[in-house]
Amino acid sequence: MSRPAQDDTAFLDHLADRLAALPGVRAVALGGSRAQGTHTDASDWDTAVYYRGSEGEFAPRHLRETGWAGEVSEIGGWGGGVFNGGGWLEVDGRRVDVHYRDLDSVEHELREAEAGRFRVEPLLFHLAGIPSYLVVAELAGNRVLRGAAPRVDTYPAALRASAPQEWWGRAGITLHYARAGNVQLGGRTEVVGAVAVAAMQAGHAVLAARGEWVTNEKRLLARAGLREIDQLLGDGSLGLGDLVDRAREVLERAVREAGHETA
């Protein structure tokens, strides 16, 4: 049974107040489908707490002390990069994710993105990894509930020029290795895995060429128009070499149509 809208509004106010009251927190934001208005009743509540690591005030133990059920990581517990930890919690019967966001790091990545620079970091559950500008993309899509965080209104022109080249370069190398190395050994799992990774990398290239932000891989292929890859991966009649070659054609076409020259 769905909850009345007012119940959700009151819940969000309560949640934002509790998070904003944690020592060192400078802002609280709502993200994900809840911020975009595309959620369902079953959707999690994705939040971020912004703090300054240089101030040394924010600590995960303060989040644990709320008494909410779930898991709370240490800072850096989710890989140590820009996606530097958080909590998977249950609050008043609702699933809530709390992400740590260090404003010192976020502001640095914003400057880097404006200059067209970024790096790709590994993160569990993400086939292609995540771009360091993910925290900038969050600023563009999140809804600040308490305090103040940097505002991002546009996709930086320099990033739109550099990111498609980097992502498509990664996709091309991934496919080349699959063709030159994995195919001849007959490893279907390795080839299929490489094609899946390359598809995600190409999806990033497509959206960057369009100037569209990405915060995760959940809908990346659909947004990039690359669901055709599903049929290729599921076609058992294709030889491994043909699979890689056909995948390259599909991915390259999508990247070109998004406005990036692949040659």
Side-chain angles (χ1 to χ4, degrees):
M1 180 180 295
S2 63
R3 300 182 181 92
Q6 182 58 41
D7 285 352
D8 282 348
T9 300
F11 166 75
L12 186 57
D13 281 340
H14 167 70
L15 178 65
D17 286 342
R18 289 292 302 276
L19 292 175
L22 299 178
V25 170
R26 299 292 175 259
V28 177
L30 178 69
S33 61
R34 296 276 179 181
Q36 301 302 317
T38 58
H39 62 280
T40 67
D41 288 343
S43 297
D44 293 352
W45 296 77
D46 293 317
T47 63
V49 289
Y50 289 86
Y51 64 94
R52 289 200 179 278
S54 57
E55 295 176 344
E57 295 181 30
F58 176 76
R61 70 175 184 276
H62 299 137
L63 184 57
R64 295 189 187 101
E65 288 168 359
T66 61
W68 293 330
E71 298 181 11
V72 174
S73 83
E74 294 303 317
I75 292 175
W78 290 355
V82 293
F83 213 95
N84 67 336
W88 295 327
L89 305 168
E90 183 175 325
V91 183
D92 296 342
R94 295 166 169 88
R95 296 190 307 275
V96 175
D97 292 347
V98 179
H99 298 155
Y100 307 151
R101 292 293 178 262
D102 184 343
L103 282 167
D104 296 331
S105 173
V106 169
E107 290 169 354
H108 170 76
E109 297 306 339
L110 176 55
R111 292 190 296 270
E112 289 290 282
E114 289 171 341
R117 296 189 295 266
F118 71 99
R119 64 190 181 281
V120 178
E121 299 178 349
L123 184 64
L124 286 175
F125 320 125
H126 290 70
L127 296 180
I130 59 170
S132 53
Y133 59 75
L134 178 145
V135 292
V136 181
E138 290 178 337
L139 294 174
N142 284 1
R143 181 175 137 209
V144 176
L145 304 174
R146 300 289 187 274
R151 179 169 179 171
V152 174
D153 294 319
T154 59
Y155 198 103
L159 187 63
R160 191 170 180 178
S162 65
Q165 180 176 352
E166 172 66 21
W167 282 114
W168 177 244
R170 286 171 173 261
I173 292 171
T174 300
L175 292 171
H176 174 76
Y177 186 83
R179 192 69 170 86
N182 299 134
V183 167
Q184 64 181 343
L185 296 175
R188 184 168 186 82
T189 296
E190 291 88 339
V191 172
V192 168
V195 170
V197 169
M200 292 298 182
Q201 293 165 331
H204 276 287
V206 168
L207 294 194
R210 293 179 188 163
E212 298 180 15
W213 293 112
V214 179
T215 57
N216 57 58
E217 291 181 346
K218 292 178 182 177
R219 298 178 178 84
L220 179 56
L221 295 184
R223 289 178 60 192
L226 289 174
R227 291 258 64 116
E228 185 179 345
I229 288 294
D230 295 343
Q231 282 71 49
L232 292 180
L233 292 179
D235 188 348
S237 68
L238 282 177
L240 295 182
D242 289 339
L243 171 59
V244 175
D245 294 343
R246 291 277 300 279
R248 180 182 289 277
E249 293 172 4
V250 169
L251 300 179
E252 188 170 11
R253 181 174 65 247
V255 174
R256 284 201 312 268
E257 290 176 350
H260 177 66
E261 180 54 57
T262 59

